[in-house]
Amino acid sequence: MSDQISDRRAKLARLRTLGVEPYGGRFTGITSNAALRARGEQLNIEVGQVREEPAAQARAAGRVVLYRDIGSLIFMTIRDWTGEFQIGLSKKMLGDRAEVTAGLEQRPVRATGAEATASAADGGGADDGAAVAWKVAKLIDLGDFVGVDGRLGRTKTGELTLWADRFTILSKAVRPPPEKWHGLTDVEARYRRRYVDLFANPASRDVFIRRARIMDYMRGVLRERGFIEVDTPVLQPIYGGAAARPFQTHHNTLDMDLFLRISPELYLKRCLVGGLERVYEFARCFRNEGISPRHNPEFTMLELYQAYGDYHDMMDITEALIAGAARDVIGTLQVTFGGRTIDFTPPWPRRRYADLFATHVGFPLTDVAQARARARQLFEQKHLSVDERKADDEVVINALFEHYVEPHLVNPTFVVDYPAALCPLTRRDPADPSRALRFEVFASGMELGNAYSELNDPQVQHETFSRQLRGEEGETMAVMDEDYVEALEYGLPPAGGLGIGIDRLVMLLTGSGSIRDVILFPLQRPERTT
RNA sequence: GAGGGCGUAGCUCAGUCGGUAGAGCAACGGCCUUUUAAGCCGUGGGUCCUGGGUUCGAGUCCCAGCGCCCUCACCA
């Protein structure tokens, strides 16, 4: 047991002997720190002045992040999720205003006859209120939550300050916060105790606020375009819609093996069969694969489907969602990521898969012999895991595409005309059935999204499900799903579908180098193995 | 999975050639009515990730393990 924790527990007890409950309840009528600052500026307060008019009176609450005790004068910097603000307590001022210092009323959490939380002055006279408030302020530690009623003023050094007339503690932190200047920098600690990271590092907190705003923005765009948000199964008897190893689990009552979804695709398209013409889902997906700065075992994908549309409509929506989010949430279409500037200004270039291949690999993808030779070489140098001797042509070619082409796609780029064999859920190009009506969108060398003109011919679907590409070692989209084919037999309207990796998008838009920096609680091995 | 790096006080970090474990912040005691990472005086605080080994002696060297990070591979 650390000494600091014992010290703080001792203060907890002293607060209770003063009649103050250190874990308070409801506290209403708070003005946020950002709003206090705005109001303070508006009042044109002179240096050294404390204002008395009603507009200068306010209530604040927050976590104490700095504490400066000057004897008969205490300054605290409190932090809420809008920013920081200074509160000041003057022993003399509290005494002079004893009639208002009678403590802060705290309503009980429940109205069901529960006793009101003790306030600083309960059972005491006004004088006691001031004295108790002062004693409470002296017992404050960094990290405590406090509540203040006061008047806005400006100190001699010009700092906007809420001068306390009433003061109370709202929650005692018995563990000390990280160092006030550096915050919490240890990466492992930041992930394991994200709650500390969030309050100690405002930049971290802002990433998650922006993540939420990006998703809000996208919901707004989709709502305007007539989409509805749906929830489809995470637990699936057959996994599909992507190529990935799944997590497996078991339902006891049904005595049935289930998979955590690797994609929501096949269920969302069933919605279209049912006549829900525009649907989307922010789908948590699970893939039992490696962890890297760009891969987390669970991640969030926005997936959407639009009846009567095609993949060109999906390009339009992709630009609207991503460029719009950048503009709306980040305030710019040019973001810096990994030392490079990425320009999200639409329209984004469309590039053919075959052209990009020829440019960056150095020979046309029709030269299968050369592709195999190159892949063999990379495999032997352990730069590629695909063994061309065990893989079909398209798999070999795509491995080279990923290796050579993707790193070059820095600015947002739509890659089109994918080999149909790689796309078992995609409609074929009527002009050339070897190509699929699909695009993938890349930025900063990362795949950000994937879209199709959806395959709605049940017979073709049945065939592609039956054909398993070699070289994918069980990670194939072509898992036969009879129930899904049956759904198609009822009629899937022509449709465009799109998936966007939300975590990666948030990385790009917030300049976060690792996917773990945009996931609140990334998976970690247990800290204590004992 | 392979390679590399890191792990020391609550936090941020030093620790030389192998010789009794250090600083700042935080904490504790004291002073202070205008501080801004407040200041000044004083004090306490360690499973040096874990377990072995080498050595008279290990935070330091060696081995194994654990955790985290990075690179590569994987991830259509």
Side-chain angles (χ1 to χ4, degrees):
Chain A
M1 187 67 50
S2 118
D3 282 337
Q4 297 204 36
I5 293 180
S6 326
D7 291 341
R8 285 169 179 242
R9 290 211 170 117
K11 291 182 188 174
L12 202 61
R14 283 160 70 189
L15 285 164
R16 288 194 166 118
T17 63
L18 288 172
V20 175
E21 171 51 48
Y23 296 106
R26 191 162 184 257
F27 195 68
T28 56
I30 296 163
T31 303
S32 74
N33 288 340
L36 277 177
R37 187 165 305 284
R39 197 194 297 181
E41 298 293 350
Q42 209 173 10
L43 289 172
N44 288 317
I45 304 168
E46 283 167 36
V47 168
Q49 193 181 32
V50 181
R51 297 279 280 263
E52 303 288 342
E53 70 263 41
Q57 292 176 9
R59 164 173 283 194
R63 191 189 286 273
V64 176
V65 293
L66 294 172
Y67 182 93
R68 296 176 288 277
D69 182 350
I70 323 287
S72 302
L73 198 60
I74 300 172
F75 293 103
M76 303 180 200
T77 302
I78 61 169
R79 178 180 291 167
D80 67 15
W81 70 349
T82 69
E84 292 171 4
F85 204 78
Q86 174 165 281
I87 61 177
L89 286 94
S90 158
K91 190 174 189 182
K92 182 167 187 298
M93 210 185 286
L94 279 173
D96 290 348
R97 296 175 65 87
E99 75 287 354
V100 291
T101 311
L104 290 176
E105 94 284 1
Q106 287 183 13
R107 297 194 205 170
V109 176
R110 289 188 200 85
T112 54
E115 228 170 278
T117 314
S119 73
D122 274 357
D127 242 66
D128 292 336
V132 169
W134 184 252
K135 284 178 185 163
V136 171
K138 285 279 186 181
L139 288 169
I140 293 301
D141 287 306
L142 294 178
D144 291 352
F145 284 92
V146 298
V148 186
D149 281 336
R151 292 156 290 145
L152 283 166
R154 225 181 249 286
T155 61
K156 286 176 184 169
T157 53
E159 182 79 10
L160 280 173
T161 300
L162 188 67
W163 287 101
D165 295 320
R166 295 190 286 186
F167 179 86
T168 195
I169 185 167
L170 295 172
S171 186
K172 184 76 190 167
V174 295
R175 282 182 191 271
E179 208 249 359
K180 59 192 176 188
W181 189 243
H182 299 94
L184 187 66
T185 62
D186 180 75
V187 175
E188 182 175 354
R190 288 184 49 229
Y191 295 156
R192 287 196 192 281
R193 293 196 290 280
R194 177 71 85 186
Y195 45 88
V196 177
D197 178 42
L198 287 169
F199 75 71
N201 301 324
S204 175
R205 174 199 66 199
D206 288 343
V207 165
F208 293 100
I209 291 174
R210 275 183 271 168
R211 179 182 173 120
R213 294 201 172 130
I214 289 165
M215 291 173 68
D216 277 351
Y217 177 84
M218 292 178 144
R219 284 193 167 96
V221 168
L222 292 169
R223 188 169 51 241
E224 279 168 25
R225 292 180 182 230
F227 286 79
I228 62 168
E229 185 168 10
V230 297
D231 293 290
T232 66
V234 170
L235 293 172
Q236 303 180 349
I238 299 174
Y239 61 96
R245 260 187 287 268
F247 288 93
Q248 195 165 1
T249 186
H250 186 83
H251 189 278
N252 290 336
T253 303
L254 297 179
D255 189 21
M256 174 177 147
D257 287 333
L258 289 163
F259 301 98
L260 273 61
R261 68 178 167 200
I262 58 173
S263 155
E265 172 154 355
L266 300 182
Y267 285 93
L268 288 169
K269 289 203 279 204
R270 283 174 172 97
C271 293
L272 262 61
V273 170
L276 302 177
E277 295 182 358
R278 296 187 181 200
V279 294
Y280 73 94
E281 179 170 12
F282 282 99
R284 188 71 62 88
C285 298
F286 305 84
R287 297 186 183 177
N288 201 343
E289 287 167 356
I291 297 178
S292 87
R294 283 158 186 72
H295 298 85
N296 197 64
E298 54 182 294
F299 64 100
T300 303
M301 193 151 66
L302 167 63
E303 203 152 296
L304 62 93
Y305 291 86
Q306 175 179 340
Y308 313 115
D310 71 359
Y311 79 128
H312 293 287
D313 297 304
M314 297 302 106
M315 288 190 209
D316 172 56
I317 289 186
T318 302
E319 288 174 342
L321 288 172
I322 294 179
R327 198 187 305 106
D328 189 76
V329 178
I330 311 301
T332 175
L333 289 168
Q334 284 89 33
V335 305
T336 303
F337 188 81
R340 296 182 296 199
T341 299
I342 301 173
D343 187 353
F344 285 101
T345 306
W348 303 341
R350 278 71 167 154
R351 296 280 181 267
R352 287 192 194 86
Y353 186 90
D355 294 346
L356 286 167
F357 186 97
T359 301
H360 295 289
V361 184
F363 53 84
L365 55 71
T366 47
D367 191 345
V368 174
Q370 198 170 345
R372 284 189 177 278
R374 182 73 65 85
R376 182 75 168 270
Q377 194 185 350
L378 290 172
F379 177 74
E380 280 163 4
Q381 293 165 349
K382 299 197 184 289
H383 291 308
L384 216 63
S385 76
V386 173
D387 183 351
E388 60 85 23
R389 287 164 297 189
K390 298 177 186 167
D392 285 335
D393 292 351
E394 293 84 354
V395 174
V396 173
I397 284 164
N398 199 56
L400 292 177
F401 185 91
E402 290 177 355
H403 186 79
Y404 286 108
V405 180
E406 292 186 2
H408 293 282
L409 304 175
V410 176
N411 275 320
T413 306
F414 292 112
V415 178
V416 298
D417 289 349
Y418 270 76
L422 296 172
C423 317
L425 299 165
T426 313
R427 185 185 198 87
R428 275 79 185 96
D429 185 345
D432 178 359
S434 76
R435 292 202 303 248
L437 300 175
R438 169 190 189 181
F439 73 76
E440 289 205 5
V441 59
F442 294 86
S444 193
M446 284 194 297
E447 181 192 340
L448 270 192
N450 182 17
Y452 315 143
S453 293
E454 301 300 336
L455 174 58
N456 61 349
D457 179 333
Q459 203 173 333
V460 174
Q461 185 67 80
H462 191 272
E463 285 161 16
T464 63
F465 273 158
S466 305
R467 176 168 180 248
Q468 176 140 347
L469 283 179
R470 291 195 313 142
E472 293 180 331
E473 295 183 16
E475 296 180 21
T476 175
M477 289 169 71
V479 173
M480 177 58 72
D481 188 338
E482 299 280 5
D483 183 80
Y484 177 68
V485 174
E486 185 176 324
L488 293 191
E489 288 171 346
Y490 281 99
L492 171 69
L498 167 68
I500 292 176
I502 293 299
D503 312 278
R504 289 178 176 180
L505 176 63
V506 175
M507 284 172 67
L508 285 181
L509 294 184
T510 60
S512 304
S514 170
I515 197 167
R516 289 178 219 98
D517 295 330
V518 303
I519 290 173
L520 274 169
F521 302 100
L523 185 65
Q524 301 279 95
R525 278 207 171 91
E527 190 168 15
R528 293 169 195 85
T529 40
T530 52

